[in-house]
Amino acid sequence: MKNRDPSRASSAPPRREGAERDWSVVVEDGRAKTNEPVSSAVANPEATTLRHEPHEPPRQHLPTKLFEKRTKVHNKRIDGRFRRFKWFVMFVTLAIYYATPWIRWDRGPYAPDQAVLVDLANRRFYMFGIEIWPHEFYYVAGLLIMAALGLFLVTSAVGRAWCGYACPQTVWTDLFQHVDRFVDGDRNARMRLDAAPLGPKKFAKRTFKYTIYLVISFWTGGAWIMYFADAPTLVRDFWAGEAAPAAYITVVILTLTTFTLGGFMREQVCIYMCPWPRIQTAMMDEKSLLVTYKDWRGEPRGSVKKAQKNPGKFGDCIDCLQCVAVCPTGIDIREGPQVGCITCALCIDACDKVMADIGRPRGLIDYATLEDCEKEANGEPTRSPWKAIFRPRTIAYFLIWGSIGLAMLFALGVRSHVGLSVSPDRNPPYILMSDGSVRNSYTLKLRNMESRPREMEIAVEGLPGALMWTDTIGRDDAAGTQIKTVPADQVLSVRAYVIAPEGTSTQEFNFRVTSRDEQQESATTETRFDTPGGER
Amino acid sequence: MANKRIDEPTGTETVGHEWDGIEELDTPMPRWWLWTLYATIVWGVIYVILYPAWPLINKATEGVLGWSSRGELAEEMSVVDQARTTVREELARIPIERLPENSELFGQAVAGGRSAFQVHCSQCHGSGAAGSQTLGYPNLNDDDWLWGGDLKAIEYTLVNGIRAPGVNDTRMSVMPPFEGAFDADQLTAVTNHVLSLSGKAPSTASGAQLYQDNCSVCHGPAGEGNRELGAPRLNDAIWLYGSSPEQLRAQILNPKMGRMPHWSGRLDPVTIKMLSAYVWSLGGGEEFVEVAEDPAVEVDEEP
Ligand code: SF4
Ligand code: SF4
């Protein structure tokens, strides 16, 4: 790493000084396992092109700068099992993001055919067979709680793995970094190009690259709005200039943010803008899997040559800096766990490759728990990484997570598709009629949550002698029940008058609404009948 | 700040605070952060130039765009007004008794009437149109109407008022004061008879006689009232000025007679129409029936 300012270094100290005497033994141990001689033939050609810092840079006490220029990260291409997993997650998440709005779901003539749709105008949320109404927002709250618990679960098991693989910022950064490599070439070519003066070739490359950035960003913003309207119609309207202004504004904003955050801010988002790394530290413990550099095995570092000259003096790390070169956030994991590490494990892939090349066992950098690190450093046997995933804490998280999910599914299954809310008039609370009877008026909201019109019967229950009529019929037609047709997927507001004979006292009673179809779903709401003399 | 020191492992200065032994390294912020700050400052300056910002003694600086929330409101209001004109034109055209047939227009009329009511009528009749018994303002929600409760009658009352001075066609009825006409026993007898009409007290022969002689001309032999004259029904449960014997007695001796201003010339015909529709919709509205010459036909007893 060139230009690494000590003041920017991680807060985690290299744990070398204090532990040297213990670990030298372990280092010997580590050596003992790898009997093969270190071969200089496998010295990585890339490695020689990297400028190394002296192993122990002299610590200067520079005056603290107030603000620091960003050091651009040029991360190197790498292949390996974690990289392949990252490709897989990237493919799946992007596919979900871009394809979901295009899935159709037949809901009949009265409801949209889009499988996943946030219908803000009509305040409905459709998700395959599920339809959420505004008053059922607790389902969304439940999903958010599940998402949070899911993050806790993942974090307590494998640290910041969400960040490393599935976080949108990571996925898009990764995508943009692939674009970088595609247009500008790999790390060294990119560094050369960055340093080169702006000529026609560089200009052309930059233009090409930023165009690709923009296309991806536009696609990202464009896909987002598809969730809020019928996707095929929206695409047509969008290009015909007929879509809602909000659609264009959203696309522009999301294009710009994707362009900036994915194309330029990248690791700055993960390190400085995102609150999650600050929170996650509270959720990890000594049993969580973290990407760890096993310094007891790697230190002291030395090149392959040095190690050959002084057998037994050096650890397994040959200071080739491959782990730094591949890191998407540009950190040196050998400085210990740090906030900038998103647990993407690309450094593991890189180092494993180096270890394979120089003929030493893999895993100098590896997913390990703090507990296992201590054990390994002391030469004790370690446990399987699965133990980190299946342990009481993660199981507890999982059980809570799962029971919320089951509870929500259950609630979804048994919920009624009719609803009734009643608000009695309070001004005035009652009306005395000329024949001495008393009238109260109410605003009823009949909710039909099915995608077809339904006839519903409204009845007054528990108010002796009471009759009701609504604003569409006269008092002459007052009866104990009234029938209304509620349009598909809608709430029908009905003003209802209830009249009770003279002498009725102030009391509670029920409105009941029942669907007049095979389901006979009903909902009951209690309300109050006020009369003169009734205490208020 | 005095405790600033260099953190040994990293070589970074600490900021000098300590919380439970945890110290914070004085790590510099990224440069773009600084630029973001500058950008917000620049934005702030631009905003101050463009929009009203600095409060002065009487008002704020105006900003070169000339934007004001008042102006914005006026603009929005004019848009709304424009949208309303079609409805208003339609309302002006339709005869009021036919309004309920067009339920959409009717709904708009009721909505418009509701807000006009709050502005012009709620002072007397109350925001819920429940009136006031103590002050003698009729409840407009019930089904008792002094002058008729169909849309046309309501509109007429609104246009011409009741006992409105200087209006030729105003609703006009006068109950003569009986101060001095009855002695104390007679007063009690006639009061009891009036109460008996709605079953509130036992009647006496003398009371009935006094009623027939003095009151039945207007209020009807059975106290059924007379809408032509605006004479209240006495055989129902609704009492404009109260139903206690004292209140009744006071009303016989020295009757209170309410007044309602006329709205013609003060409100435009469409607003009056909307107000009528609103009052009619409150739950006591009567169906409009083409009345033949015979004034005795009770409008509300049609099937
Ligand atoms: S940890 Fe591995 S990849 Fe990193 S410098 Fe050492 S040997 Fe190279
Ligand atoms: S240090 Fe390793 S795991 Fe952490 S972000 Fe860098 S490459 Fe990924």
Side-chain angles (χ1 to χ4, degrees):
Chain A
M1 282 298 285
K2 58 170 185 173
N3 295 340
R4 179 165 277 273
D5 182 346
S7 64
R8 192 179 166 248
S10 116
S11 54
R15 290 166 290 167
R16 217 169 311 122
E17 279 94 73
E20 219 156 25
R21 72 196 125 85
D22 298 337
W23 290 349
S24 54
V25 185
V26 185
V27 169
E28 289 297 326
D29 266 22
R31 276 303 180 76
K33 280 184 226 150
T34 51
N35 290 324
E36 294 114 343
V38 178
S39 141
S40 58
V42 282
N44 198 311
E46 280 279 348
T48 54
T49 63
L50 294 167
R51 260 186 278 162
H52 291 206
E53 250 179 348
H55 185 59
E56 248 181 282
R59 301 267 188 219
Q60 296 169 334
H61 294 159
L62 301 169
T64 309
K65 282 188 280 178
L66 207 49
F67 291 94
E68 179 169 334
K69 193 164 181 266
R70 175 191 172 209
T71 320
K72 202 166 170 187
V73 176
H74 299 93
N75 65 326
K76 191 165 141 17
R77 188 196 311 268
I78 184 66
D79 190 30
R81 42 185 180 160
F82 293 109
R83 176 66 255 186
R84 281 193 291 274
F85 180 60
K86 208 162 146 68
W87 275 115
F88 170 74
V89 176
M90 181 176 162
F91 179 79
V92 170
T93 47
L94 286 180
I96 291 175
Y97 178 66
Y98 287 115
T100 308
W102 298 91
I103 307 171
R104 303 286 99 186
W105 192 269
D106 189 10
R107 293 193 182 84
Y110 297 100
D113 285 340
Q114 188 154 320
V116 176
L117 178 68
V118 183
D119 191 350
L120 288 180
N122 299 311
R123 295 186 291 167
R124 299 280 180 280
F125 174 54
Y126 299 95
M127 180 128 178
F128 299 94
I130 302 170
E131 183 184 331
I132 304 286
W133 284 50
H135 70 280
E136 295 172 313
F137 199 75
Y138 46 80
Y139 287 119
V140 180
L143 278 184
L144 290 178
I145 293 171
M146 282 180 76
L149 278 173
L151 268 184
F152 296 177
L153 173 61
V154 170
T155 304
S156 66
V158 280
R160 217 177 156 186
W162 162 264
C163 301
Y165 298 95
C167 170
Q169 173 64 21
T170 292
V171 170
W172 264 272
T173 298
D174 207 18
L175 195 61
F176 279 97
Q177 282 169 342
H178 291 309
V179 174
D180 284 356
R181 279 193 281 269
F182 171 68
V183 179
D184 295 348
D186 207 4
R187 179 180 158 94
N188 294 330
R190 266 201 332 273
M191 298 206 318
R192 273 197 301 276
L193 190 69
D194 264 4
L198 187 70
K201 195 171 167 220
K202 181 169 171 180
F203 183 79
K205 278 197 167 181
R206 285 286 133 99
T207 316
F208 183 43
K209 186 167 82 172
Y210 293 155
T211 311
I212 303 182
Y213 278 8
L214 262 180
V215 170
I216 296 176
S217 306
F218 175 74
W219 261 56
T220 308
W224 178 257
I225 59 170
M226 298 299 148
Y227 285 85
F228 297 88
D230 181 56
T233 321
L234 184 58
V235 169
R236 212 209 53 224
D237 289 353
F238 189 88
W239 292 112
E242 288 163 10
Y248 294 103
I249 295 169
T250 310
V251 170
V252 169
I253 290 177
L254 287 186
T255 305
L256 291 182
T257 47
T258 313
F259 188 70
T260 337
L261 298 185
F264 302 95
M265 301 294 284
R266 295 188 179 170
E267 82 288 346
Q268 300 278 308
V269 175
C270 307
I271 300 174
Y272 296 104
M273 294 163 95
C274 178
W276 182 234
R278 276 109 195 132
I279 302 166
Q280 59 152 359
T281 48
M283 253 160 277
M284 297 188 299
D285 55 19
E286 66 288 349
K287 290 189 169 70
S288 307
L289 281 174
L290 291 180
V291 172
T292 313
Y293 167 69
K294 299 179 175 169
D295 48 6
W296 61 93
R297 182 183 143 188
E299 301 294 311
R301 309 163 193 170
S303 68
V304 177
K305 270 194 195 127
K306 272 200 218 161
Q308 274 177 329
K309 275 189 204 142
N310 309 292
K313 271 266 177 74
F314 288 95
D316 276 355
C317 175
I318 57 167
D319 215 10
C320 63
L321 292 178
Q322 291 303 296
C323 48
V324 180
V326 300
C327 176
T329 63
I331 57 167
D332 188 347
I333 190 65
R334 296 172 304 165
E335 288 173 357
Q338 49 204 285
V339 86
C341 174
I342 57 171
T343 329
C344 68
L346 295 187
C347 52
I348 302 183
D349 279 343
C351 191
D352 281 356
K353 207 165 157 217
V354 173
M355 290 297 117
D357 282 350
I358 63 171
R360 289 178 194 160
R362 67 161 295 277
L364 174 56
I365 306 177
D366 207 354
Y367 272 114
T369 66
L370 274 181
E371 214 177 55
D372 282 342
C373 285
E374 267 170 34
K375 283 194 182 147
E376 205 175 319
N378 294 330
E380 293 163 25
T382 59
R383 297 181 307 168
S384 139
W386 295 109
K387 284 264 165 58
I389 295 171
F390 300 104
R391 62 197 173 96
R393 187 164 153 168
T394 55
I395 291 171
Y397 276 137
F398 181 79
L399 287 180
I400 303 172
W401 183 84
S403 35
I404 294 177
L406 284 179
M408 291 213 303
L409 277 182
F410 178 74
L412 266 178
V414 301
R415 70 178 178 163
S416 166
H417 290 225
V418 306
L420 173 68
S421 74
V422 178
S423 55
D425 265 14
R426 282 276 162 260
N427 180 20
Y430 63 83
I431 304 291
L432 185 65
M433 302 305 272
S434 55
D435 60 0
S437 55
V438 183
R439 193 192 81 203
N440 279 202
S441 23
Y442 303 85
T443 303
L444 309 182
K445 297 240 155 95
L446 307 185
R447 201 186 302 124
N448 172 17
M449 292 173 61
E450 299 223 328
S451 302
R452 61 192 165 91
R454 293 168 100 187
E455 268 195 351
M456 297 197 191
E457 186 183 84
I458 316 163
V460 171
E461 287 180 347
L463 191 63
L467 298 177
M468 69 178 289
W469 74 98
T470 67
D471 50 359
T472 51
I473 59 172
R475 181 184 169 182
D476 302 336
D477 300 320
T481 61
Q482 297 292 340
I483 290 169
K484 290 274 168 191
T485 303
V486 188
D489 265 327
Q490 275 186 29
V491 176
L492 181 73
S493 186
V494 175
R495 201 171 154 72
Y497 303 105
V498 174
I499 198 159
E502 203 171 353
T504 303
S505 57
T506 296
Q507 58 185 280
E508 311 284 328
F509 74 102
N510 289 331
F511 275 109
R512 170 187 283 273
V513 56
T514 313
S515 72
R516 281 159 56 88
D517 48 24
E518 337 65 68
Q519 284 139 300
Q520 299 260 324
E521 283 184 311
S522 73
T524 307
T525 302
E526 190 180 70
T527 186
R528 178 186 166 97
F529 191 84
D530 274 304
T531 55
E535 69 296 320
R536 256 178 284 144
Chain B
M1 287 294 159
N3 300 331
K4 269 197 179 179
R5 58 179 201 86
I6 304 292
D7 174 60
E8 268 312 314
T10 57
T12 311
E13 208 171 338
T14 64
V15 293
H17 321 131
E18 186 193 316
W19 296 271
D20 292 341
I22 299 174
E23 286 174 285
E24 187 185 348
L25 296 183
D26 194 359
T27 313
M29 300 287 269
R31 178 89 68 74
W32 56 264
W33 203 290
L34 186 69
W35 286 111
T36 312
L37 174 68
Y38 290 157
T40 55
I41 293 172
V42 171
W43 166 255
V45 171
I46 295 175
Y47 187 93
V48 165
I49 295 171
L50 294 185
Y51 287 97
W54 294 106
L56 305 176
I57 292 176
N58 291 323
K59 53 185 187 140
T61 52
E62 276 176 1
V64 296
L65 286 189
W67 181 94
S68 73
S69 48
R70 224 174 252 269
E72 192 178 61
L73 176 71
E75 221 167 87
E76 280 170 15
M77 288 303 285
S78 73
V79 173
V80 173
D81 276 346
Q82 231 145 33
R84 275 191 191 138
T85 42
T86 35
V87 175
R88 293 186 73 94
E89 276 164 15
E90 256 183 275
L91 274 173
R93 235 177 291 125
I94 195 168
I96 191 158
E97 65 273 16
R98 304 190 68 84
L99 195 52
E101 293 164 21
N102 183 340
S103 64
E104 194 185 326
L105 195 59
F106 180 71
Q108 278 157 336
V110 168
R114 180 176 296 121
S115 52
F117 188 90
Q118 299 308 326
V119 177
H120 302 290
C121 317
S122 62
Q123 292 84 345
C124 295
H125 290 284
S127 61
S132 159
Q133 202 171 55
T134 38
L135 299 175
Y137 296 118
N139 185 343
L140 304 177
N141 293 281
D142 62 28
D143 58 346
D144 190 31
W145 300 93
L146 288 168
W147 299 95
D150 62 65
L151 275 165
K152 253 196 152 143
I154 294 172
E155 191 187 33
Y156 187 94
T157 307
L158 271 160
V159 168
N160 298 301
I162 293 169
R163 301 182 194 95
V167 182
N168 286 337
D169 295 331
T170 193
R171 306 268 199 203
M172 182 60 90
S173 66
V174 178
M175 158 118 180
F178 286 85
E179 185 94 68
F182 297 134
D183 61 31
D185 289 344
Q186 284 174 318
L187 188 59
T188 310
V190 80
T191 304
N192 281 343
H193 182 75
V194 169
L195 284 173
S196 79
L197 293 174
S198 52
K200 285 196 170 66
S203 174
T204 55
S206 69
Q209 194 53 51
L210 280 167
Y211 179 87
Q212 288 310 325
D213 295 346
N214 296 292
C215 319
S216 65
V217 185
C218 296
H219 290 286
E224 64 271 22
N226 185 339
R227 286 182 176 183
E228 290 296 300
L229 307 172
R233 228 176 117 178
L234 302 178
N235 62 359
D236 65 7
I238 295 171
W239 300 84
L240 185 53
Y241 295 103
S243 60
S244 71
E246 294 73 41
Q247 286 166 324
L248 270 186
R249 237 176 262 139
Q251 191 62 12
I252 291 168
L253 293 179
N254 210 345
K256 292 190 250 180
M257 282 171 289
R259 250 193 209 176
M260 157 144 166
H262 65 101
W263 292 100
S264 61
R266 298 201 250 176
L267 291 177
D268 61 279
V270 171
T271 306
I272 294 182
K273 234 177 208 178
M274 294 199 291
L275 277 171
S276 317
Y278 171 66
V279 170
W280 190 79
S281 78
L282 287 171
E286 292 167 356
E287 231 164 280
F288 177 75
V289 180
E290 215 58 65
V291 193
E293 253 77 308
D294 185 3
V297 172
E298 279 282 351
V299 196
D300 55 350
E301 277 174 18
E302 289 291 312

